[in-house]
Amino acid sequence: MMFVRSIPIRCWWLTLSSALLQVLLFPTDGPVSPLRAAIGWIALLPFFVALHLPTDHDRPLLVREASVLGYFCGILWYLGNCSWIYQTMYLYGGMPKPVAFGVLILFSLYLGLYHALFAASLAFIGRSRLGVIGALISAPFLWVAVELARARITGFPWDLLGYSQVDNLFLTRLAPIAGVMALSFVIAAVNALFTAYFFTRGRRKMLFPAAAFVIALILQTATLFAKPGLEKTSQVAVMMQENLAVGEMAKTVEPIAPEDELQQFSAMTVQASSHVQPTVILWPEAPSHLFSYDPNFRQQIGQLARTVDAAAIIGSLGIDRTDKNERGYYKFDSASLFDAAGSYEGRYDKVHLVPWGEYVPFKAFFGHLVTKLTEGAGDMDAGTERGVFHTGGHTYGIFVCYESIFGTEVREFAKNGAEVLVNISDDGWYGDTGAPWQHLNMARMRAIENHRWVLRDTNTGVTTAIDPYGRMQQQAPRHTRGAYAFPFAFEQGTTFYTRYGDWFAWICTLVTLAALASGFKAKAQS
């Protein structure tokens, strides 16, 4: 580890400051202000500078030295951005505090490797014949390629850089074309332009920061003028925010007996529908005891749908009997579907489960030790189809909780004809941390990418209707039990992103591979 001591102290301080700036970009306890979002245009600047500063011996950083700085940055970023994991694990998951903190540390050590990969690759390109400027040109392509790896390999594309600009109505016009990663590219590119100032000489030295400043200024201020009119709404969704107890700590939750849930929630839904004619009623994913196969559940929800004359999408558990596992059944996190006549039309089973929350990865390999450490985790099975729900002449695409962070998966619903997207979620596990707001922003980006309304119904909040530009006209108060009416509209047509997914990210990956190959070729010839 001698090479670690050769990294200049200024590089450590720069990397630390960049990690903190990256944390500030995302919600910590509520919505992010425009001023904080604007930090994005310089958040990566100290990190990029640190990776290209010479050492005390006037040589560029070695690849392994750069990877250590990147790892340091990644660990700090995940510790700050995902600090909610600690609270979730001990307040709501029932884990001892030391174990919960250990989970957060291990999580950050694991996912911090992506920052290390970015830093090592950027340093390698900078040491090749492409030089520092070539590396900075490659930086936004590389950043997006690493984000794609996070999404496809690890399956945790939480708070990609582009989400920090979800409120920028001008910049988000890229999302229906190329998805959230196109926004990440622009942000990283502006940071790279600012960084070029420190590594160029002569007259062109000021051109780079001047160009970066103008671009950032335009992108930041144009959103003040790029405000499309309010979307026309002709439909109403009545959403139930159940505010049910979650985990061991639920001080703000009103208790309710499981056998009373159906009756009380049905009555509140009918009351909210008394002054409007809803098109659909929604109940969220929640820690309730509602089973889709239960005759009483089907009878009461069917009666509710007939009473309000609306289709119903109800968070519930799905059970399928089988002889292919020891317990004799499959268990699904589901949404039960009813038409306005009260007929049960089937269910949507959550496809993308939460690791360690809804299932234990490699359970057979780790054995009983991991099962005991994660006894709060569910034991769910994954659905297999992203089907859509046809009723009343319209089509709904339904995704559950964690699935909202996967843009390339959610787009499949719109691609299959969904005219509105429905996201039922239980964000009660996050408590009063930044996670509910982070999760909300990712659902908002799904609305923008697919130009669809997203009806987001949660257990404890944020429950809202999101228009195709990612805006929320109103939202239910958090931690409050009640049924709320939200206007929305059906949309047709498909965006370029809906049709072709992460095409831009794959192009960035190809450019990155070409830059790396050029470096390897130059090294082989030297």
Side-chain angles (χ1 to χ4, degrees):
M1 299 296 289
M2 291 290 292
F3 68 87
V4 174
R5 287 185 284 179
S6 64
I7 301 173
I9 189 66
R10 60 183 179 274
C11 292
W12 293 104
W13 282 113
L14 286 167
T15 302
L16 171 63
S17 65
S18 182
L20 294 176
L21 290 174
Q22 290 175 59
V23 170
L24 286 175
L25 282 179
F26 298 96
T28 51
D29 57 1
V32 172
S33 68
L35 183 60
R36 270 178 59 186
I39 293 174
W41 305 116
I42 59 168
L44 303 180
L45 170 60
F47 184 39
F48 287 177
V49 171
L51 294 176
H52 294 102
L53 283 179
T55 67
D56 295 335
H57 299 290
D58 202 31
R59 63 166 175 79
L61 289 177
L62 301 175
V63 171
R64 62 175 179 267
E65 293 170 334
S67 67
V68 169
L69 285 177
Y71 197 32
F72 176 61
C73 185
I75 292 171
L76 292 178
W77 185 77
Y78 278 106
L79 283 173
N81 180 260
C82 296
S83 60
W84 49 266
I85 289 176
Y86 169 67
Q87 289 122 306
T88 296
M89 291 295 179
Y90 94 82
L91 281 177
Y92 303 95
M95 286 187 175
K97 288 185 179 181
V99 176
F101 186 69
V103 169
L104 174 60
I105 294 295
L106 290 174
F107 172 86
S108 302
L109 289 172
Y110 175 42
L111 289 176
L113 291 170
Y114 283 104
H115 273 68
L117 173 63
F118 172 83
S121 301
L122 195 67
F124 178 80
I125 295 171
R127 291 175 64 88
S128 73
R129 63 183 180 183
L130 296 177
V132 174
I133 297 303
L136 292 175
I137 293 173
S138 303
F141 296 95
L142 176 57
W143 188 274
V144 171
V146 172
E147 286 193 341
L148 182 65
R150 281 173 56 191
R152 297 303 179 99
I153 298 174
T154 310
F156 192 74
W158 187 274
D159 274 352
L160 303 180
L161 188 60
Y163 289 120
S164 66
Q165 302 300 314
V166 70
D167 288 306
N168 190 320
L169 290 171
F170 182 72
L171 185 58
T172 53
R173 291 300 80 219
L174 288 174
I177 302 171
V180 65
M181 294 185 203
L183 279 68
S184 300
F185 180 91
V186 173
I187 299 166
V190 171
N191 278 269
L193 274 174
F194 275 122
T195 306
Y197 168 80
F198 298 95
F199 301 99
T200 53
R201 298 178 181 177
R203 294 180 179 179
R204 64 177 183 170
K205 185 179 183 68
M206 292 302 301
L207 292 178
F208 294 107
F213 178 78
V214 170
I215 293 172
L217 183 64
I218 291 173
L219 293 176
Q220 194 64 35
T221 58
T223 188
L224 299 175
F225 308 99
K227 291 187 176 180
L230 295 178
E231 289 285 292
K232 292 182 179 179
T233 56
S234 55
Q235 314 294 328
V236 174
V238 170
M239 303 190 220
M240 183 72 212
Q241 185 168 279
E242 298 170 351
N243 200 37
L244 290 171
V246 176
E248 294 187 350
M249 296 290 291
K251 295 180 180 178
T252 62
V253 173
E254 308 156 42
I256 184 172
E259 60 271 18
D260 294 332
E261 289 176 5
L262 273 171
Q263 292 184 355
Q264 289 195 25
F265 295 161
S266 294
M268 297 176 79
T269 303
V270 171
Q271 176 61 31
S273 304
S274 61
H275 303 296
V276 297
Q277 175 52 60
T279 309
V280 62
I281 56 177
L282 307 176
W283 289 10
E285 176 201 38
S288 61
H289 301 272
L290 304 180
F291 290 88
S292 62
Y293 68 85
D294 182 6
N296 182 53
F297 167 75
R298 292 193 184 185
Q299 188 275 326
Q300 292 203 45
I301 297 299
Q303 180 60 46
L304 172 63
R306 288 190 293 273
T307 299
V308 300
D309 190 25
I313 300 173
I314 309 295
S316 53
L317 296 175
I319 300 292
D320 286 344
R321 300 295 176 182
T322 183
D323 57 3
K324 295 182 179 180
N325 60 33
E326 292 182 2
R327 63 185 181 183
Y329 61 88
Y330 294 120
K331 184 178 180 182
F332 302 97
D333 191 353
S334 304
S336 294
L337 314 174
F338 296 78
D339 65 17
S343 299
Y344 175 71
E345 297 295 321
R347 66 175 196 251
Y348 167 75
D349 297 328
K350 186 176 182 180
V351 176
H352 209 132
L353 301 178
V354 181
W356 310 107
E358 292 173 321
Y359 76 103
V360 177
F362 312 113
K363 186 175 181 179
F365 177 77
F366 287 113
H368 297 294
L369 173 63
V370 171
T371 303
K372 290 180 180 179
L373 286 176
T374 58
E375 59 185 352
D379 193 11
M380 311 296 289
D381 295 291
T384 58
E385 297 181 5
R386 292 189 175 87
V388 293
F389 176 35
H390 302 280
T391 185
H394 294 287
T395 307
Y396 299 77
I398 304 153
F399 52 100
V400 180
C401 194
Y402 177 70
E403 292 183 307
S404 64
I405 76 174
F406 300 95
T408 192
E409 296 178 13
V410 172
R411 74 180 181 89
E412 294 292 337
F413 297 107
K415 190 176 180 180
N416 290 335
E419 299 165 84
V420 64
L421 299 174
V422 174
N423 177 212
I424 60 173
S425 184
D426 180 9
D427 287 2
W429 293 97
Y430 298 139
D432 291 318
T433 66
W437 304 97
Q438 295 172 11
H439 201 195
L440 169 66
N441 284 349
M442 288 179 271
R444 292 172 62 195
M445 191 62 73
R446 304 291 84 86
I448 299 169
E449 288 171 338
N450 298 285
H451 198 75
R452 290 290 190 274
W453 281 83
V454 171
L455 304 177
R456 190 167 192 270
D457 190 17
T458 71
N459 179 27
T460 56
V462 179
T463 295
T464 185
I466 306 166
D467 79 6
Y469 295 96
R471 300 172 298 187
M472 302 173 292
Q473 297 180 24
Q474 61 189 78
Q475 60 191 50
R478 295 194 70 223
H479 301 301
T480 302
R481 179 172 292 154
Y484 304 88
F486 294 90
F488 76 99
F490 293 109
E491 299 283 345
Q492 296 182 339
T494 54
T495 67
F496 197 84
Y497 180 78
T498 299
R499 293 193 295 272
Y500 301 107
D502 291 327
W503 64 272
F504 178 74
W506 285 109
I507 289 177
C508 288
T509 301
L510 292 176
V511 173
T512 297
L513 292 175
L516 292 170
S518 177
F520 278 113
K521 182 178 179 181
K523 186 174 181 180
Q525 292 175 347
S526 61

